[in-house]
Structures are given as C-alpha cells and as structure tokens.
C-alpha cells in the first residue's frame, strides 16, 4: 500500500522541522480506506511531545466496489435429483474485502416439501474470492403436479453493489405420471327401495392438481322417473383427494 524510504527523520540545526515522505502504491483492488500510523521513537537532541508523537495517515481507496450478481438468471432440475443444485453468485472482480449480500426466497414451491435450502441469508463472498454458492436440494414426491419455481432475489449488499442479474429462478420439473381414473365397480344392482345409491370413482394415486372428469348418463332407465341423479358433470377431485362419488 505504501513505501517508507527512511525510518529516521533528521531535523538540521537551525531548522524547525523536516518532512517524512511516503510513496503510495496504486492498485485496482477494492479494499476500503486504510491507515498508516507514524509514531516518534527515541528522539536525540530533543524531547518528544507526548501530545504530538503520533500521526495517522488515511489512505482513501479510489477503486469502485465490485458488483455482485447471479452468474445466470435461471436453471431447472427434475424432482429427486440427488446432487444439490448450486446457484452461483459472482463478483465482477476480486475484492480485498469480504462482500456480503442478503437474499430472499419466494416462488410457488414450498420449502421443506419441494426443496431444501442449503444456506441462509446473507451470503458472504470471502476477500480474494470471486464467487459463492447457494445450494438447493430438490425433494421428490409422488404427486402429479405442475412444474414449480424457487426465486432467489438479491437484496442489500455490503462492500459491493447489486448487479444486473439480481434474481435467479430455479424451475422444479415434475417427474410423476398422471393418475388414471375409473369406477370402483364396473356394474352393480340395486332394488327399487328409495334409498340413495353411491357409485364411487377413484384415482390410481393422489394428484397435486385439481382433476376434472366429465361423464354422461345413458341407458333404458329414465332420469326423473326411474332415478334422480344428484351429481352433475363434471366430477371434481380436489388436490390430494383420491375418491369421489356419484349419488342417485
């Protein structure tokens, strides 16, 4: 940061002072202000003034703080991928100070159900390093569902400025098959008793989506004369539901 050519200063006879020259070294590394403390020691031919024996020089940094940003703005991963997805955050250039940046996590994916976050905010990029990572483990489930997303957004930064790519969207791609739907019984017989009759319709597996199943009613019996159907088309399975019924 500096060069001090002489460690001793001589004040000539008859003079009231002398200078001590320091050469400051320029550099392209952002490191913030630094200080040099000069302290008088072992004066010969004079007594050191206790109140003026120390001088502090502050070296102001003229380099701009680096920008911090995501290396890319998006990525994707399938459910159940074993290795964590590594979301990289980079500095525009190496820094002499650790860069700290806060981040938030949003999106329609649910933490603990669809993914696990490997590090908490804030993220720290060590001095001398140009990147750090946020690991995300994608969790598997057995639900057929729409692809979901995890959005990371950079916030306040210390010893850095937030760059252009301030958010990253990780898309979690569903790998579960669409369930099948069918009647529990292909045929059944009921006597004319006036008691309600329930015909159950089931899914082969629970789904993370709403499932809609249109149906038609035909046959030799007449609606309103021989039976009264209280269920209207379509049948609807709510997310997670595996069975519903037609009621006569």
């Amino acid at each position: 940061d500096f060069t001090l050519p002489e460690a001793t200063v001589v004040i000539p006879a008859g003079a009231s002072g002398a200078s001590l020259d320091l050469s400051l070294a320029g550099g392209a590394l952002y490191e913030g202000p630094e200080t040099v403390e000069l302290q008088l020691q072992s004066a010969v031919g004079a007594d050191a003034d206790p109140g003026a024996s120390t001088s502090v020089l502050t070296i102001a940094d003229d380099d701009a703080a680096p920008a911090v940003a995501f290396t890319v703005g998006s990525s994707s991963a399938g459910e159940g991928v074993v290795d964590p997805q590594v979301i990289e955050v980079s500095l525009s250039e190496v820094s002499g100070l650790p860069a700290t940046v806060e981040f938030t996590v949003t999106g329609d994916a649910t933490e603990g159900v669809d993914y696990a976050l490997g590090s908490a905010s804030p993220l720290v990029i060590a001095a001398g390093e140009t990147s750090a990572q946020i690991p995300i483990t994608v969790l598997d489930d057995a639900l057929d569902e729409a692809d979901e997303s995890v959005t990371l957004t950079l916030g306040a930064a210390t010893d850095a400025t937030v760059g252009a790519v301030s958010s990253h969207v990780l898309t979690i791609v569903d790998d579960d098959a669409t369930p099948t739907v069918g009647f529990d019984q292909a045929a059944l017989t009921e006597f004319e008793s006036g008691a309600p009759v329930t015909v159950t319709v089931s899914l082969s597996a629970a789904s993370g989506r709403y499932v809609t199943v249109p149906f038609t009613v035909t046959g030799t019996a007449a609606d309103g004369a021989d039976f009264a159907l209280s269920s209207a088309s379509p049948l609807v399975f709510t997310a997670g539901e595996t069975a519903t019924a037609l009621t006569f």
Side-chain angles (χ1 to χ4, degrees), residues 52-81:
S53 61
T54 300
S55 179
V56 177
L57 169 66
T58 298
I59 303 174
D61 189 17
D62 61 356
D63 299 298
V68 60
F70 289 102
T71 304
V72 295
S74 63
S75 61
S76 64
E79 286 183 340
V81 175

Side-chain angles (χ1 to χ4, degrees), residues 33-237:
E34 297 175 298
T35 59
V36 180
E37 182 175 308
L38 303 173
Q39 189 171 37
L40 298 179
Q41 301 276 333
S42 305
V44 177
D47 294 324
D49 183 351
S53 61
T54 300
S55 179
V56 177
L57 169 66
T58 298
I59 303 174
D61 189 17
D62 61 356
D63 299 298
V68 60
F70 289 102
T71 304
V72 295
S74 63
S75 61
S76 64
E79 286 183 340
V81 175
V82 176
D83 295 330
Q85 302 303 297
V86 177
I87 313 302
E88 187 175 68
V89 179
S90 302
L91 289 179
S92 56
E93 58 188 63
V94 69
S95 175
L97 295 176
T100 303
V101 61
E102 298 177 3
F103 64 90
T104 57
V105 184
T106 56
D108 55 7
T110 302
E111 185 174 3
V113 176
D114 301 307
Y115 69 93
L117 191 65
S119 62
S121 177
L123 182 69
V124 178
I125 302 177
E129 300 292 331
T130 56
S131 66
Q133 292 77 38
I134 303 172
I136 297 178
T137 301
V138 177
L139 305 178
D140 199 7
D141 59 32
L143 290 178
D144 173 51
E145 56 192 348
D147 294 346
E148 297 171 300
S149 65
V150 182
T151 301
L152 304 173
T153 304
L154 299 181
T158 302
D159 291 315
T161 59
V162 177
V165 187
S166 60
S167 64
H168 181 99
V169 178
L170 169 65
T171 300
I172 300 175
V173 181
D174 184 56
D175 64 352
D176 299 297
T178 301
T180 58
V181 61
F183 290 105
D184 283 11
Q185 296 172 281
L188 69 159
T189 301
E190 294 288 339
F191 292 101
E192 294 178 333
S193 63
V197 177
T198 298
V199 179
T200 303
V201 180
S202 298
L203 292 177
S204 59
S207 175
R209 311 172 191 253
Y210 276 80
V211 177
T212 303
V213 185
F215 66 88
T216 58
V217 181
T218 58
T220 58
D223 188 8
D226 302 307
F227 67 92
L229 182 64
S230 59
S231 304
S233 179
L235 287 175
V236 177
F237 296 79

